[in-house]
Amino acid sequence: MVEKVLTIFQQSGLADYRIEKELGLTNGTIKNWKNGRNKVSTDAIIKISKYFNVSADYLLGTEPTDEE
């Protein structure tokens, strides 16, 4: 899940501090996710999905595929 979140951030071209500010996250949150110190919270998943217009299922890796 963290990989998908970080990929979206990277593709956005926005700096981590700006994403944190836009999403109302504390400073260093993204760095902690990158380093594996913290997991992405449910609240953060909701904020990220709304901000970047992707489904929470996509971020969680539970989105159905065509093969199912």
Side-chain angles (χ1 to χ4, degrees):
M1 170 183 56
V2 172
E3 295 82 19
K4 288 186 180 183
V5 169
L6 297 177
T7 298
I8 288 172
F9 291 170
Q10 184 179 23
Q11 290 173 344
S12 76
L14 299 173
D16 288 352
Y17 73 89
R18 177 144 181 230
I19 295 170
E20 289 168 343
K21 183 177 179 181
E22 295 285 330
L23 297 179
L25 304 172
T26 58
N27 292 339
T29 297
I30 295 172
K31 181 179 179 180
N32 287 334
W33 294 343
K34 287 179 179 178
N35 294 328
R37 290 188 198 119
N38 294 28
K39 293 184 179 184
V40 183
S41 69
T42 303
D43 185 51
I45 289 292
I46 293 167
K47 289 178 181 181
I48 294 164
S49 68
K50 288 180 180 179
Y51 187 82
F52 289 100
N53 197 31
V54 296
S55 71
D57 286 333
Y58 170 77
L59 295 174
L60 295 169
T62 59
E63 192 170 71
T65 62
D66 292 336
E67 296 172 7
E68 293 180 4

